[in-house]
């Protein structure tokens, strides 16, 4: 069986979570660097940290909401595991963080069928 015919779960939700986790780690690092616990005490504005977090959440939301469907496939959209609609080729916007898409390859696949004998209605072998 060809691997392209097996539905694949979109990995965008994992990528969006990775973006948000990286933003939280950087924000925590900025907070630690701005405090006096390490003796560094950089002057970092708290608004900068909040702005960085809001910007990273916005990037993760847009990244999770945009779905590009290739010309040779269709995708089924599920929201919380419930089927919603079938996506045609093109760019689509789907609910972020709560939806998954499953790709279906629409290309023609050829199969080798071994020779076999069949009997017609008038009982003649073919």
């Amino acid at each position: 069986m060809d691997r392209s015919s097996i539905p694949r779960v979109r990995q965008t939700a994992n990528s969006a979570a990775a973006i948000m986790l990286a933003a939280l780690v950087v924000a925590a690092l900025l907070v630690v660097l701005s405090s006096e616990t390490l003796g560094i005490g950089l002057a970092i504005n708290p608004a900068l940290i909040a702005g960085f977090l809001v910007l990273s959440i916005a990037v993760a939301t847009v990244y999770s909401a945009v779905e590009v469907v290739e010309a040779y496939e269709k995708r089924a959209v599920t929201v919380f595991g419930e089927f919603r609609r079938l996506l045609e080729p093109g760019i689509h916007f789907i609910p972020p963080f709560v939806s998954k898409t499953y790709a279906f390859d629409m290309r023609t696949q050829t199969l080798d069928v071994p020779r076999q004998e069949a009997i017609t209605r008038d009982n003649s072998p073919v």
Side-chain angles (χ1 to χ4, degrees):
M1 176 181 267
D2 187 16
R3 291 183 64 83
S4 63
S5 64
I6 300 172
R8 297 179 314 264
V9 176
R10 190 179 60 138
Q11 298 299 320
T12 304
N14 294 338
S15 300
I19 290 171
M20 289 179 43
L21 180 64
L24 288 174
V25 167
V26 169
L29 182 64
L30 288 174
V31 168
V32 168
L33 288 177
S34 66
S35 68
E36 294 293 330
T37 57
L38 295 178
I40 298 172
L42 295 176
I44 298 175
N45 191 357
L48 176 70
I49 297 171
F52 179 75
L53 284 174
V54 168
L55 180 66
S56 63
I57 290 172
V59 167
T61 301
V62 169
Y63 185 76
S64 176
V66 174
E67 183 70 31
V68 178
V69 181
E70 300 294 331
Y72 55 86
E73 68 183 7
K74 290 186 180 183
R75 292 193 182 201
V77 177
T78 60
V79 178
F80 292 121
E82 179 183 339
F83 174 78
R84 292 297 169 120
R85 66 180 189 263
L86 197 62
L87 300 179
E88 299 291 330
I91 297 175
H92 300 278
F93 297 99
I94 58 174
F97 304 117
V98 296
S99 60
K100 291 182 183 176
T101 60
Y102 299 90
F104 297 99
D105 195 353
M106 301 304 288
R107 293 179 280 194
T108 303
Q109 296 179 359
T110 59
L111 299 173
D112 284 334
V113 179
R115 293 183 59 87
Q116 37 188 318
E117 189 172 318
I119 299 178
T120 61
R121 282 189 218 171
D122 57 352
N123 289 332
S124 59
V126 178

